């Protein structure tokens, strides 16, 4: 299968935005795991005085997790899908949260930042140039700024690949077919199988100039399938 990319993927998310929250709600622990990953940024003082970026915010579930982890922070949330952003904007938010219709690649050119921390959930396996986006993220972060990536990234174990395929074929793709979004959820299935293993993505972070990169497991059925990656931005030129 050819994976969806760029504008094709954004259009697929636009269409799926109508039912996205309902379908993700079928995933046990979906929102709790986002909160766990956001808290792994270990932001001090409830985020007071910090400017945070939610990169690939979708309908706002990751933004809500970031806000719960750092309720006193200022948050900028961005996504390339106008449909997903409309769903996010329809929800109640405090004054310190704003949303922008931008791709990850466009964000730096728009003059945004610097940020004290970046949270990116379910983003990197969906971009055509993950190394380029990591370079953008590093440029957007203050030196020493923190990054947490919440992503489907398998361990490489055949058992975890088989479990992911079983969940997709038995639950995710049939549910997406009912809503008219079969292509997007087939993309989800294959994008995870094709993406970096947890150890490979940790190495990618290190090569991109991040320090202290680690892959942390999540609990429940997603153990070995979804990870939180934490790292810090190194000094410029290093």
């Amino acid at each position: 299968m050819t994976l969806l990319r760029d504008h094709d993927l954004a259009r697929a998310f636009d269409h799926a935005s109508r039912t996205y929250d309902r379908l993700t709600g079928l995933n046990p622990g979906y929102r709790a795991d986002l909160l766990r990953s956001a808290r792994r940024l270990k932001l001090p003082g409830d985020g007071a005085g910090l400017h945070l970026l939610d990169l690939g915010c979708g309908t706002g579930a990751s933004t809500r997790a970031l806000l719960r982890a750092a309720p006193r922070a200022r948050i900028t949330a961005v996504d390339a899908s106008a449909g997903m952003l409309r769903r996010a904007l329809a929800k109640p938010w405090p004054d310190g949260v704003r949303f922008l219709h931008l791709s990850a690649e466009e964000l730096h050119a728009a003059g945004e930042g610097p940020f004290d921390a970046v949270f990116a959930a379910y983003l990197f396996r969906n971009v055509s140039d993950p190394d380029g986006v990591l370079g953008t993220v590093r440029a957007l972060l203050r030196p020493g700024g923190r990054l947490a990536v919440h992503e489907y990234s398998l361990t490489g174990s055949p058992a975890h690949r088989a479990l992911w395929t079983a969940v997709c074929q038995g639950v995710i793709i049939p549910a997406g077919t009912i809503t008219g979004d079969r292509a997007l959820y087939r993309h989800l299935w294959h994008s995870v199988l094709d993406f970096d293993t947890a150890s490979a993505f940790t190495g990618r972070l290190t090569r991109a100039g991040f320090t202290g990169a680690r892959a942390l497991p999540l609990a429940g059925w997603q153990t070995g399938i979804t990870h939180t990656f934490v790292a810090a931005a190194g000094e410029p030129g290093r």
Side-chain angles (χ1 to χ4, degrees):
M1 174 189 173
T2 301
L3 296 178
L4 300 173
R5 291 299 185 202
D6 303 323
H7 296 299
D8 290 336
L9 184 58
R11 282 195 294 269
F13 274 117
D14 286 346
H15 188 271
S17 64
R18 302 166 298 115
T19 56
Y20 192 80
D21 285 339
R22 190 156 64 247
L23 287 184
T24 57
L26 298 175
N27 180 349
Y30 180 85
R31 288 169 178 77
D33 284 342
L34 283 172
L35 178 58
R36 185 172 290 109
S37 288
R39 284 176 170 162
R40 285 170 169 173
L41 282 166
K42 296 184 177 179
L43 300 172
D46 287 339
L50 301 182
H51 188 190
L52 313 180
L53 172 64
D54 182 15
L55 189 57
C57 64
T59 61
S62 55
T63 315
R64 188 72 64 190
L66 193 55
L67 182 61
R68 288 184 63 191
R72 300 176 65 191
R74 183 162 53 101
I75 299 173
T76 296
V78 304
D79 202 277
S81 165
M84 300 291 267
L85 277 178
R86 280 194 296 271
R87 298 287 167 174
L89 284 165
K91 299 170 183 177
W93 301 99
D95 292 341
V97 178
R98 66 173 181 146
F99 291 87
L100 298 175
H101 183 207
L102 293 171
S103 69
E105 295 85 349
E106 293 166 336
L107 191 60
H108 192 226
E112 294 294 326
F115 297 96
D116 298 289
V118 173
F119 186 45
Y122 305 118
L123 171 76
F124 278 95
R125 64 186 163 74
N126 283 324
V127 299
S128 55
D129 181 12
D131 291 326
V133 175
L134 281 172
T136 297
V137 170
R138 189 180 174 207
L140 287 166
L141 277 168
R142 299 183 190 278
R146 302 176 188 183
L147 170 65
V149 175
H150 178 98
E151 187 57 275
Y152 293 119
S153 182
L154 304 175
T155 62
S157 160
H160 291 143
R161 289 178 67 88
L163 175 58
W164 174 247
T165 291
V167 169
C168 286
Q169 293 184 343
V171 179
I172 295 173
I173 295 172
T177 301
I178 292 170
T179 64
D181 298 303
R182 180 179 176 84
L184 178 62
Y185 292 103
R186 281 183 58 82
H187 162 87
L188 170 61
W189 172 31
H190 286 280
S191 68
V192 175
L193 295 178
D194 289 353
F195 188 58
D196 292 348
T197 63
S199 61
F201 189 71
T202 303
R204 190 188 291 272
L205 287 167
T206 300
R207 291 192 300 276
F210 290 89
T211 62
R214 293 183 295 150
L216 305 175
L218 291 162
W221 78 268
Q222 294 193 102
T223 301
I225 292 174
T226 310
H227 292 82
T228 315
F229 299 89
V230 293
E235 295 291 334
R238 296 182 61 185

